[in-house]
Amino acid sequence: MDDGPDLDSTLQQLGERIGGVEEGQGRHEEKLDSFREGLHGVEADVVRLRDEVGCVRQEITGLESAVANTRQVLDLFVEQYERDREAAKAQAELSRLTTEWHAHFAQRKQTRALARGLVHVLTAQAIYRNVVNTATVRACSEERLLLEPTYWLAPATMAVAARFRGEEEQGERARSHACALDAAKANLFFSLTCSRLGDDTEAAAWMDLYLQSLNPHALGQDFLVVLDAIAGKELGEKALGYTRQVVARWNRGASSLSTDPKEPRLHGGPRMESRLLNLRGRLAENRYAALRATCGDQWGTLRDCWELSTVPSRTLAHLEHVFPSDCDGADGVDTQVGNGGHVQSALERLIEQLDPDEADMRERMRRLERIIEHGGDLGAADRAHSSSAAPEAAPVSLMTLLDQAVFEPEEVRLGPSARRMALQAIWPDLEETVQRLVTNSRSRLPRNITLSVAGWHRDVPTDLRRMVQPGRLIDELGTYIEQQTQVRSDAVVRRWPRVIASLATGACTLALVVPFSDGAARWIFALLTVGLFTWAGWEFWSVPFRRRRVRDEGDRLRHEAVATMDRALHQWKGLLDEWHDAMEEMDLLTRWGDNRRQS
């Protein structure tokens, strides 16, 4: 009972503490409420700040887009400025070159027009009929020379005018002046002009001078037109003869311009041999299979000899295809004379041909025009200029020209007469090379070849007159195989050491091992004993069977070897016949060339 007041005081203290806790909790709740209200305010501030950041980001994106657009506009402006500057520079340079062109080369247009008029046939007729006063012709030509003293065509036209007036001395001085400015063009111009005016003798003389001034290692495309005119006899027989002599001298490497001893000679050599080797026949893999299998390593030599022997026939077939007989006259002679079209074309090309300085300035002006057309875009201007410029054919050597005219006529722009002329020039080298290949084929053909079948070897001559009869060789082969078969058959005998060893081993096993074995071991040794006795019996009684098998294999081998040898001998004779027939084609090729040379 004494503990009652203590318990009440304790409960009272506990209640007071709980009240204090509740009072403190109330104060904390008030603080939490105020803190929660502060958090709501912060959350509102964060939302407001997020909205402001979004607005700033949009403004930054707009600013970046504006900067990008400004940069693009600036780049376009700079690019357009560069193009405008290039176009302005091109316009200024073009104006300067145009002024320089008119100052230096504008008069050449009138000079070319006067030259075309003077070399025309109707002009000569008009002068000779007094339709045109020769004083006018002289005044015009002298004016051209005064205006263009450095242009070779001006004194050349003056020489033609002097010819019309009969002023030999003045004409000679004008021709000398023209040749001093450009000898090759002047010589060609006078040759073509004399031909146009009907003086073939003088035309041939000027053509000879023109040909001597050329470099046979670098012939331009103008030479092709001239060659067509000469081959068509448009410049007369003398010009044709001179040209043949000069081309033959070039082909022999005796060029008057070749002062360097290290300069290569022009004649065919390896190039011609390569051309003819490409024409030779090729042996198919399935031809002469038996001969290929029996002659061993000699087949490569036989194949090369056969292929070399086909060069004359294949060359003749190619030449007959490229130079058909129906293109010639009735007697195989090309009697048709050209109508002057090649001379006209050569004159037009020569008169219109620009000098190097003039061509260089014209090329620069065309490029500047392309730059202006494309608004200063240099890349587009260069592409347009490259596509519009006609590719100029590179100069070729005489040997290349002759080679293409004969073996690749579609690669060179020459008429039939010029190609026949090229054939005549190249014919000595061609015939010599074919003869050398034929001689090589004949010298490489061995005197004998060795045929090997089933271990039997026999030398067979390549001379058909000493050819051995196939029947005798086949009989020899059959006899050899029969002898070898008989030797192998006789070698089949009873192998007594094996018989005795088998019987002794079997008897020992049967007497000493089998009786003392039990179970499975006894059966194993019993079977072994039976096998040993069986083997001994087989060794004793199998000799006839083994000999028969050897003879059967020998008969089969003999039949196969005889058949192979028979095919090989027939193929060998066929190959020799084809080889001899092909070698005789050389005479046909020579006669074909002689007929063309006489034509």
Side-chain angles (χ1 to χ4, degrees), residues 136-180:
T136 304
V137 176
R138 178 177 181 178
C140 292
S141 61
E142 289 181 352
E143 180 185 5
R144 291 295 96 202
L145 181 59
L146 292 175
L147 295 175
E148 292 286 347
T150 60
Y151 184 38
W152 68 271
L153 191 57
T157 55
M158 186 173 178
V160 176
R163 179 187 181 94
F164 287 143
R165 292 176 56 86
E167 299 173 346
E168 292 295 332
E169 185 177 355
Q170 186 181 18
E172 183 64 29
R173 288 195 296 269
R175 286 191 290 269
S176 300
H177 188 189
C179 293

Side-chain angles (χ1 to χ4, degrees), residues 101-355:
W101 172 273
H102 285 290
H104 293 88
F105 306 117
Q107 298 297 330
R108 293 188 179 182
K109 183 177 181 180
Q110 287 78 14
T111 305
R112 294 188 177 100
L114 177 62
R116 282 194 297 270
L118 285 178
V119 300
H120 203 282
V121 178
L122 296 179
T123 302
Q125 295 177 359
I127 292 175
Y128 294 146
R129 294 175 182 174
N130 294 325
V131 177
V132 177
N133 191 350
T134 57
T136 304
V137 176
R138 178 177 181 178
C140 292
S141 61
E142 289 181 352
E143 180 185 5
R144 291 295 96 202
L145 181 59
L146 292 175
L147 295 175
E148 292 286 347
T150 60
Y151 184 38
W152 68 271
L153 191 57
T157 55
M158 186 173 178
V160 176
R163 179 187 181 94
F164 287 143
R165 292 176 56 86
E167 299 173 346
E168 292 295 332
E169 185 177 355
Q170 186 181 18
E172 183 64 29
R173 288 195 296 269
R175 286 191 290 269
S176 300
H177 188 189
C179 293
L181 294 175
D182 196 325
K185 292 181 181 179
N187 291 331
L188 179 59
F189 176 80
F190 293 138
S191 177
L192 298 175
T193 303
C194 291
S195 173
R196 175 66 65 84
L197 298 178
D199 192 348
D200 291 344
T201 301
E202 191 171 353
W206 284 109
M207 180 55 63
D208 189 26
L209 294 175
Y210 165 71
L211 294 174
Q212 291 180 13
S213 65
L214 295 179
N215 182 6
H217 296 279
L219 298 175
Q221 296 301 309
D222 294 336
F223 180 74
L224 303 182
V225 183
V226 175
L227 194 61
D228 272 327
I230 296 172
K233 301 179 182 178
E234 295 182 14
L235 279 78
E237 291 286 349
K238 288 186 177 181
L240 178 61
Y242 289 159
T243 306
R244 285 176 175 173
Q245 294 176 7
V246 172
V247 171
R249 186 169 66 251
W250 285 349
N251 194 30
R252 292 193 303 268
S255 172
S256 60
L257 299 177
S258 299
T259 58
D260 186 1
K262 297 182 180 180
E263 188 173 357
R265 293 170 63 85
L266 287 174
H267 59 80
R271 184 187 186 94
M272 178 66 68
E273 184 172 336
S274 176
R275 282 289 191 187
L276 297 179
L277 288 177
N278 290 335
L279 293 176
R280 72 183 187 273
R282 300 287 187 175
L283 269 178
E285 292 294 331
N286 57 352
R287 289 196 65 187
Y288 304 115
L291 179 61
R292 179 183 303 155
T294 55
C295 67
D297 295 339
Q298 290 181 304
W299 171 250
T301 303
L302 295 179
R303 180 194 58 209
D304 294 342
C305 291
W306 184 90
E307 291 180 352
L308 287 177
S309 67
T310 62
V311 170
S313 60
R314 295 302 180 93
T315 303
L316 180 59
H318 171 78
L319 294 178
E320 288 179 342
H321 173 72
V322 176
F323 303 97
S325 58
D326 57 357
C327 291
D328 300 333
D331 298 329
V333 183
D334 184 15
T335 56
Q336 184 177 2
V337 180
N339 56 3
H342 293 105
V343 170
Q344 175 66 25
S345 177
L347 268 174
E348 286 293 334
R349 289 172 61 95
L350 182 62
I351 293 174
E352 292 298 329
Q353 187 176 9
L354 303 180
D355 280 3

Side-chain angles (χ1 to χ4, degrees), residues 17-82:
R17 290 179 180 177
I18 291 173
V21 170
E22 290 178 353
E23 184 179 355
Q25 185 177 0
R27 291 194 301 269
H28 285 300
E29 287 180 354
E30 292 177 359
K31 291 180 180 180
L32 287 174
D33 292 338
S34 62
F35 183 70
R36 191 176 290 115
E37 291 177 358
L39 287 178
H40 284 300
V42 171
E43 184 177 358
D45 293 338
V46 170
V47 172
R48 186 172 60 255
L49 181 61
R50 184 183 297 131
D51 294 337
E52 292 177 357
V53 169
C55 294
V56 171
R57 184 175 296 165
Q58 291 178 357
E59 292 178 358
I60 292 174
T61 302
L63 181 60
E64 290 178 349
S65 177
V67 170
N69 293 333
T70 304
R71 180 178 297 173
Q72 183 177 4
V73 171
L74 181 60
D75 292 339
L76 292 176
F77 174 77
V78 172
E79 184 178 356
Q80 187 62 40
Y81 174 75
E82 292 291 337

